Amino acid sequence: MIAHNYDHLKQLCGYRASGLYCSKSYEDVFQDTVLLVSQDEKAATLTNEKDLINYFCYRFRMIEFQAINDNKQLKEIPYADYLQTQKIPEEE
């Protein structure tokens, strides 16, 4: 069903030609979603094409959200003022 609806899924997922998150383009995120959904046990139980399309779009948004957050985390610079040092217990 994924192969049959491939072009339709690209349009529904808000497919974009550009944009990089953690060295991943939207094409990479889309392909990751194809792999994840094709191996997902829940997706295998879906018999209705509409349900599978909705599930695919849901998983795409989850993978895209994770890629965006990973990208934000890489850009943050931990300054020494913000880091807490662990207290070393004093020995008697």
Side-chain angles (χ1 to χ4, degrees):
M1 279 197 280
I2 292 173
H4 179 70
N5 294 304
Y6 188 81
D7 292 329
H8 183 62
L9 288 169
K10 272 188 164 183
Q11 291 174 349
L12 285 177
C13 291
Y15 184 75
R16 296 166 189 89
S18 63
L20 289 174
Y21 299 107
C22 283
S23 301
K24 285 188 174 185
S25 67
Y26 280 101
E27 181 68 29
D28 295 330
V29 173
F30 186 79
Q31 293 303 322
D32 286 349
T33 308
V34 169
L35 290 173
L36 184 94
V37 172
S38 65
Q39 297 173 359
D40 194 352
E41 291 179 15
K42 182 179 178 182
T45 62
L46 299 174
T47 56
N48 188 357
E49 197 168 293
K50 184 179 179 183
D51 292 339
L52 181 67
I53 289 172
N54 289 337
Y55 184 71
F56 185 92
C57 291
Y58 168 75
R59 296 300 284 181
F60 177 83
R61 288 190 304 270
M62 286 182 60
I63 293 172
E64 180 184 30
F65 179 76
Q66 186 64 46
I68 290 170
N69 283 340
D70 290 346
N71 191 49
K72 285 181 186 177
Q73 189 176 18
L74 286 175
K75 289 183 178 182
E76 290 179 0
I77 300 172
Y79 293 102
D81 295 343
Y82 301 146
L83 299 176
Q84 290 184 340
T85 57
Q86 294 180 354
K87 292 183 180 180
I88 300 172
E90 295 180 18
E91 295 182 23
E92 293 182 17

